[in-house]
């Protein structure tokens, strides 16, 4: 099963892709997570991506496309894409490379969330630098303030989750990534889902779309 989950930053792509990957036994391929790992390792790619990420801008397509095509090739049991494609060009390259293998994306889901909710969610987001667990100061607080429930590590805020950078990321989303929704809509069905509500409710709506596809693919 090959799924694309679209949505603005803070729409809940990470949360829902994780749940989808677990439910259907497929890989969760997050371009943002892969880039953050590359940065932590100090790789060439990580160094090149750094400035763009911290400013809330997009990393150039040629770097991302190469990185994601390697990740996709390895995910033989299927995958859910989180944060990729983020430009129409990325979407076209992905479609072409899948079509060359007689393959294609099975379903595109678009999470729709109000800007106000996005800013509130992102600026309150905290994560564990050790295990990657994600919390929210109000909506999903850890048991002990500022500390990861799983391993006791001090939680941190992503440098691009401050209010100023979030505004840039939203602007980047409307200018470069929203057209990806229209690109997919021009050739296929895109399932728009209201992502403003409670995560469990949104997850159930997503599962109701994907369960029949998963049964068909078995
Ligand atoms: P995310 O964790 O998905 O919010 O991504 C964090 C940052 O990584 C973005 O603000 C971009 O700078 C960069 N990034 C992630 N995915 C892509 C992509 N598909 N194309 C370009 N830049 C990306």
């Amino acid at each position: 099963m090959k799924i694309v989950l679209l949505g603005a930053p803070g729409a809940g792509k990470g949360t829902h892709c994780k749940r989808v990957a677990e439910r259907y036994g497929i890989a969760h391929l997050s371009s943002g997570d892969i880039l953050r790992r590359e940065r932590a390792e100090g790789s060439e790619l990580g160094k090149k991506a750094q400035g763009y990420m911290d400013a809330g801008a997009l990393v150039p397509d040629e770097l991302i496309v190469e990185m994601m095509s390697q990740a996709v090739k390895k995910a033989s049991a299927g995958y859910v894409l989180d944060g990729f494609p983020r430009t129409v060009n990325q979407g076209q390259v992905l479609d072409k490379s899948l079509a060359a293998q007689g393959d294609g994306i099975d379903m595109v889901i678009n999470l729709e969330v109000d800007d106000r909710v996005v800013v509130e969610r992102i600026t309150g987001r905290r994560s564990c630098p050790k295990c990657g667990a994600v919390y929210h100061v109000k909506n999903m607080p850890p048991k002990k303030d500022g500390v990861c429930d799983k391993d006791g590590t001090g939680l941190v805020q992503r440098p691009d989750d401050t209010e100023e950078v979030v505004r840039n990321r939203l602007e980047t989303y409307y200018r470069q990534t929203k057209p990806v929704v229209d690109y997919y809509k021009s050739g296929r069905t895109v399932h728009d889902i209201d992502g403003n509500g409670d995560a469990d409710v949104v997850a159930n709506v997503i599962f109701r779309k994907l369960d029949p596809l998963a049964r068909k693919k078995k």
Side-chain angles (χ1 to χ4, degrees):
M1 201 153 72
K2 298 180 180 67
I3 316 291
V4 169
L5 202 94
L6 299 171
K13 296 190 298 296
T15 302
H16 292 299
C17 283
K18 184 164 180 277
R19 292 183 185 204
V20 164
E22 277 163 13
R23 186 175 177 94
Y24 304 107
I26 57 179
H28 172 190
L29 303 182
S30 157
S31 46
D33 284 350
I34 299 175
L35 287 169
R36 279 183 287 278
R37 270 202 299 276
E38 294 281 341
R39 281 181 71 166
E41 286 163 8
S43 73
E44 247 346 274
L45 171 60
K47 282 183 199 146
K48 284 184 187 155
Q50 199 158 311
Y52 299 100
M53 294 174 79
D54 289 347
L58 293 188
V59 175
D61 277 359
E62 58 273 19
L63 298 177
I64 294 292
V65 164
E66 171 60 22
M67 176 186 98
M68 291 309 285
S69 58
Q70 282 176 24
V72 160
K73 262 188 221 137
K74 282 189 214 144
S76 52
Y79 48 80
V80 55
L81 294 176
D82 168 2
F84 177 86
R86 237 176 171 106
T87 63
V88 171
N89 177 52
Q90 291 177 14
Q92 287 168 334
V93 173
L94 174 68
D95 277 348
K96 272 193 207 135
S97 73
L98 288 174
Q101 302 151 36
D103 209 344
I105 295 295
D106 297 304
M107 192 178 283
V108 179
I109 291 175
N110 179 39
L111 278 178
E112 297 183 304
V113 176
D114 300 339
D115 289 0
R116 186 186 48 79
V117 176
V118 162
V119 174
E120 206 258 345
R121 278 188 191 167
I122 296 192
T123 52
R125 182 158 68 181
R126 300 290 181 273
S127 57
C128 173
K130 192 164 171 205
C131 73
V134 180
Y135 302 86
H136 187 280
V137 288
K138 261 201 251 147
N139 310 338
M140 216 202 305
K143 290 194 188 92
K144 193 175 163 219
D145 224 16
V147 177
C148 180
D149 292 347
K150 294 183 184 150
D151 53 33
T153 306
L155 301 178
V156 294
Q157 183 179 38
R158 270 171 50 177
D160 58 344
D161 276 354
T162 57
E163 183 148 359
E164 192 201 339
V165 181
V166 170
R167 299 268 171 216
N168 284 345
R169 288 167 67 196
L170 265 176
E171 203 265 320
T172 303
Y173 169 76
Y174 283 113
R175 196 163 28 87
Q176 290 175 278
T177 307
K178 190 108 193 299
V180 178
V181 179
D182 302 323
Y183 163 71
Y184 279 121
K185 281 188 175 171
S186 68
R188 57 177 306 140
T189 305
V190 172
H191 299 270
D192 289 324
I193 290 180
D194 180 354
N196 286 297
D198 177 78
D200 289 339
V201 175
V202 177
N204 278 326
V205 178
I206 295 176
F207 295 159
R208 275 207 298 278
K209 299 272 180 213
L210 288 175
D211 281 354
L213 178 66
R215 280 196 293 273
K216 230 177 19 188
K217 286 266 165 187
K218 264 194 185 150

